Amino acid sequence: MDMAERLRLAKEFGGLTDEEAMALSGLGGVDPSLPDRMVENAVGVFPVPLGIAANFVINGRDYLIPMATEEPSVIAAASNAAKMALDGGGFSTSSSEPLMIGQVQIREVADPNGARHVILGRKKEITDLANSQDPMLVKVGGGVRDIDVRIVDTKGGIDVVVHLIVDVRDAMGANAVNTMAEAIAPLLEEMVCGKVHLRILSNLARFRLARARAVWAKDAVGGADVVDGVIAAYQFADADPYRCATHNKGIMNGIDALMLATGNDTRAIEAGAHAFAASSGGYKPLTAFEKNERGDLVGTIEVPMAVGLIGGATKSHPSARAAIKLLGVKSACELGEVAAAVGLAQNFAALRALATVGIQQGHMTLHARNIVASVGCPPELMDEAVETIVSERRIRMDRAAEVVDSLKKKAKG
Ligand code: MEV
């Protein structure tokens, strides 16, 4: 399909209006006041390609996945991995409640253990004060769920760190949690005779987890050797942080692309994912791969997912709004679960390529298309020209120009 046909299909699938389809593509241009409303000192916008990953069946439902990324191969790899998972029923997902953590750091407390007990004993008072900051959140079923107190030994002395654990429902939660953390600070200071320092949410959203699982039938992925190859690649990442950083980067290729397309905070998701990956003490993969009794590949992922469906760019950016409509997700938890499935698919695709033909083959074909297009190749000669320079392994402008030239001459007869 060409771009217009794909967009038409996405529009139909997501029930988008003409206006929403145009917003999704970004090709209708942006409202000139949008960048100025979103950031400071705006001068314009920076276009990133938006593509759609296909073949995702998650909990028995079909999804089209909008992905904003500058990296070639990512969308194709996710779609391909999702297709190979179809035999095994696609992805099944689950998630925890949308709980975020707000931290209040208290310094100069003479008796930190005693202070901890005082705070825990007055949980209700603190909870009520925090909840009074956001009656709307409480009305829709959110609000403070618990309070934890940690004693943290810093280079500057012992701190008492209060964790406000807040159910933020469909928000990313930063605004709600930060407001609550700031509001309870004077009360905490008075309770424990200390000095409040920082009051801010933690991006290590370890109580807000999304999980996905898929079974890739061994025949669908290229046989038992491929299954073993993917497992060995996972084991390498599990044993070695140098490899693990790249392994997790591959996962985030998918997750970030979906997050960006839906107007979510990609840095919050990245920070949470990597901090979670390191929370056992070593830096570990966010996914795991093993074999089931039939020898099929079972992949799983568990990752913090501080995503929102309301507020911020998810609401103010028309392309993000259209992307969310295309996805058809009904809650932030559902969006987080879809992201987990995309991350798992992305990781499987990378490991399968790495364990078989290598990653360059797919990359190079796309790269070759760009090179051939840039030397003015007519569309009807494109495939042959790309094939020629890829098979020769001479993916260079000079060679592309020669090949296109000779194909043009041949076509003229
Ligand atoms: C490239 O963007 C991502 C990979 O390096 C991931 C990986 O090595 O697993 C291919």
Side-chain angles (χ1 to χ4, degrees), residues 131-143 167 169 180 310:
N131 279 341
S132 70
Q133 306 305 307
D134 201 335
M136 195 58 206
L137 179 63
V138 175
K139 197 167 156 208
V140 297
D167 184 328
R169 297 282 93 199
M180 288 179 176
I310 54 170

Side-chain angles (χ1 to χ4, degrees), residues 66-245:
M67 298 177 80
T69 179
E70 87 300 342
E71 184 169 333
S73 300
V74 164
I75 299 167
S79 305
N80 200 22
K83 190 174 186 181
M84 284 188 259
L86 289 175
D87 276 355
F91 299 84
S92 41
T93 65
S94 64
S95 49
S96 65
E97 293 295 300
L99 299 180
M100 296 296 287
I101 300 168
Q103 293 194 293
V104 181
Q105 177 198 16
I106 317 172
R107 312 181 78 185
E108 298 167 28
V109 180
D111 55 339
N113 290 297
R116 182 170 168 270
H117 280 246
V118 170
I119 294 168
L120 290 176
R122 292 175 68 180
K123 260 188 196 183
K124 171 138 179 32
E125 222 177 308
I126 303 167
T127 301
D128 289 348
L129 179 60
N131 279 341
S132 70
Q133 306 305 307
D134 201 335
M136 195 58 206
L137 179 63
V138 175
K139 197 167 156 208
V140 297
V144 176
R145 289 287 175 268
D146 202 2
I147 288 170
D148 190 15
V149 185
R150 296 167 54 240
I151 295 175
V152 179
D153 194 356
T154 78
K155 284 185 173 164
I158 303 280
D159 287 350
V160 174
V161 180
V162 179
H163 279 196
L164 208 50
I165 299 163
V166 186
D167 184 328
V168 296
R169 297 282 93 199
D170 284 327
M172 184 274 183
N175 275 334
V177 168
N178 292 341
T179 306
M180 288 179 176
E182 289 187 7
I184 62 166
L187 176 63
L188 292 173
E189 253 180 3
E190 174 220 295
M191 273 181 191
V192 301
C193 294
K195 208 167 162 13
V196 164
H197 196 42
L198 304 193
R199 299 143 297 163
I200 186 77
L201 128 152
S202 168
N203 284 119
L204 175 47
R206 60 169 317 110
F207 302 127
R208 195 178 191 180
L209 299 176
R211 303 174 206 97
R213 173 179 170 274
V215 178
W216 278 277
K218 68 172 176 292
D219 295 334
V221 302
D225 286 352
V226 177
V227 170
D228 289 340
V230 171
I231 293 172
Y234 152 68
Q235 288 166 344
F236 181 16
D238 189 56
D240 177 26
Y242 289 90
R243 170 57 207 153
C244 193

